[in-house]
Amino acid sequence: MPYFSKMKGITKSPPAVKPAEIIWSWIGAFFGIIPMACMDDRLFSQGDVVMVIGSFGASAVLVYGAIRSPLAQPRNVLGGHVISALIGVSLYKLLPGHLWLASPLAVATSIAAMHATRTLHPPGGATALIAVTGSPKIHAMGYLYAVVPVALGALIMVFVALLVNNLSKHRRYPEFWW
Amino acid sequence: MNSKNACSQCPVDISEKDILEAMTEIGDYLDITPADFILIYKTAYQHAVHRLAGHVKAGDVMSRRVISASEDTSLKEAARLMAENNITGLPVIDHESRLVGVVSEKDFLREAGMGMDLSFMSVIARCMTDSGCRVSSLNSRKIRDIMTAPAVTVSENTSLSEIADILNERKINRVPVIGMNSKLCGIVTRSDIVSSCCAKIV
């Protein structure tokens, strides 16, 4: 296929989901994010976002809104976040003061590592990026970042997904564990 | 899933292993699990079967060279004709090729088995009892005496899915296709439907 004609696309976007799916996605995401939001509020001073990181919002889209996707399965959620966090922290430490290089390297390397370990989870890219560009508080954590908030948050979201996503007769989670 | 269709047994039984091998072969990241792929495949298959069965008409799959007989044909001759051509039924036509009925194995069995269940074994069972075999009594009779008339018929424009329903509901194996003035123009059998349905999809 000639290079430019490939940019036209080849097919239609999939149909809309049923209304019940929209409602269950909302409910799941609400209860999936609320534990982190509460911990954040109580344990740390206001304004310092440490238990809630942006990539959890992205994970919620998959784990509660696209629950049958391979990207949304426990293996991917836990593996993708933790591996990406480790890579992000490592690059921040390896290239201090070179955000322009550490940032793209962190994201690109995370994707490669997730592919190689069959744990591809798109929010992992954000988790790696946050390790590099995040607040001084995140930088100060060092590798602890991969455990709290990252691993803990991922575990909580998977746990909530197991509870909420199996309530409906027409939904099930997960598709696979490992 | 709606599977009230003659072809619902057709789908190639694709396995999870097939999907995994295909995904490995393609090599790109595909955002779908093998289980979901199988679900989509099977559901889409039903839709395809339904669409194709609606599009394909009797005229597309019927046999045009029909072996037929007349009302005056002797049953002996009719039986020989069916045996020689390895078929289980004959449309019966008049001298102007108009369909007047159908004679089939079932009509023979009904006569020979004297109203018992219409099966080969019921005839055997009958032959082994005191009253003896009644097949010989058919010797002197003609098609007119045992044929089913009027016959169930369809036109060239009847869709395959309608024909499949007719065959199932009437428990028959073939249906003559008639044109203007009841003229016989072809016949559709169960095997015509099976082969056209699977051939279109594979």
Side-chain angles (χ1 to χ4, degrees), chain A residues 68-71 115 120 172 175, chain B residues 29-33 35-36 39:
Chain A
R68 291 165 75 153
S69 165
L71 304 173
H115 258 320
L120 194 65
R172 58 161 194 260
E175 292 294 308
Chain B
Y29 189 82
L30 300 168
D31 189 15
I32 189 169
T33 60
D36 277 355
L39 179 63

Side-chain angles (χ1 to χ4, degrees), chain B residues 116-171:
Chain B
M116 296 171 75
D117 287 338
L118 304 183
S119 74
F120 174 69
M121 286 318 291
S122 69
V123 176
I124 298 289
R126 187 83 208 170
C127 288
M128 291 168 118
T129 60
D130 301 339
S131 57
C133 198
R134 300 239 318 155
V135 174
S136 53
S137 70
L138 295 174
N139 241 337
S140 56
R141 298 169 74 188
K142 294 180 186 298
I143 284 183
R144 173 184 292 114
D145 304 327
I146 70 163
M147 71 178 187
T148 302
V152 181
T153 60
V154 295
S155 80
E156 286 202 48
N157 286 323
T158 311
S159 74
L160 275 204
S161 57
E162 285 175 79
I163 296 180
D165 286 342
I166 291 170
L167 296 186
N168 279 337
E169 275 162 25
R170 302 295 192 102
K171 294 192 168 66

Side-chain angles (χ1 to χ4, degrees), chain A residues 111-134:
Chain A
I111 295 173
M114 287 189 284
H115 258 320
T117 53
R118 291 170 42 238
T119 57
L120 194 65
H121 183 62
T127 297
L129 196 56
I130 290 164
V132 177
T133 63

Side-chain angles (χ1 to χ4, degrees), chain B:
Chain B
M1 197 187 307
N2 175 17
S3 61
K4 188 184 169 288
N5 192 300
C7 297
S8 57
Q9 301 305 312
C10 286
V12 178
D13 203 6
I14 200 162
S15 75
E16 199 170 275
K17 190 165 162 276
D18 296 328
I19 312 285
L20 287 170
E21 282 173 1
M23 286 175 145
T24 309
E25 196 177 309
I26 292 166
D28 303 335
Y29 189 82
L30 300 168
D31 189 15
I32 189 169
T33 60
D36 277 355
F37 181 86
I38 290 175
L39 179 63
I40 291 175
Y41 170 79
K42 288 194 168 162
T43 312
Y45 196 100
Q46 292 300 327
H47 284 276
V49 165
H50 215 79
R51 174 171 55 81
L52 292 170
H55 278 209
V56 182
K57 310 285 186 195
D60 302 327
V61 301
M62 68 183 186
S63 313
R64 286 175 193 276
R65 277 189 300 180
V66 189
I67 297 151
S68 58
S70 81
E71 286 182 283
D72 294 324
T73 309
S74 70
L75 292 182
K76 206 168 154 184
E77 172 65 10
R80 192 191 56 80
L81 210 56
M82 297 199 316
E84 271 180 11
N85 293 288
N86 198 22
I87 52 177
T88 58
L90 290 169
V92 184
I93 55 176
D94 65 13
H95 58 282
E96 283 176 4
S97 294
R98 283 184 301 222
L99 186 82
V100 291
V102 169
V103 67
S104 72
E105 255 177 21
K106 275 184 193 155
D107 297 314
F108 278 86
L109 289 170
R110 192 182 54 239
E111 294 298 315
M114 281 190 65
M116 296 171 75
D117 287 338
L118 304 183
S119 74
F120 174 69
M121 286 318 291
S122 69
V123 176
I124 298 289
R126 187 83 208 170
C127 288
M128 291 168 118
T129 60
D130 301 339
S131 57
C133 198
R134 300 239 318 155
V135 174
S136 53
S137 70
L138 295 174
N139 241 337
S140 56
R141 298 169 74 188
K142 294 180 186 298
I143 284 183
R144 173 184 292 114
D145 304 327
I146 70 163
M147 71 178 187
T148 302
V152 181
T153 60
V154 295
S155 80
E156 286 202 48
N157 286 323
T158 311
S159 74
L160 275 204
S161 57
E162 285 175 79
I163 296 180
D165 286 342
I166 291 170
L167 296 186
N168 279 337
E169 275 162 25
R170 302 295 192 102
K171 294 192 168 66
I172 52 179
N173 296 313
R174 77 200 62 73
V175 60
V177 184
I178 57 171
M180 298 271 278
N181 305 321
S182 306
K183 285 210 173 162
L184 179 68
C185 49
I187 194 159
V188 175
T189 64
R190 277 177 190 260
S191 57
D192 289 333
I193 294 179
V194 171
S195 46
S196 76
C197 148
C198 293
K200 292 281 174 193
I201 289 154
V202 177

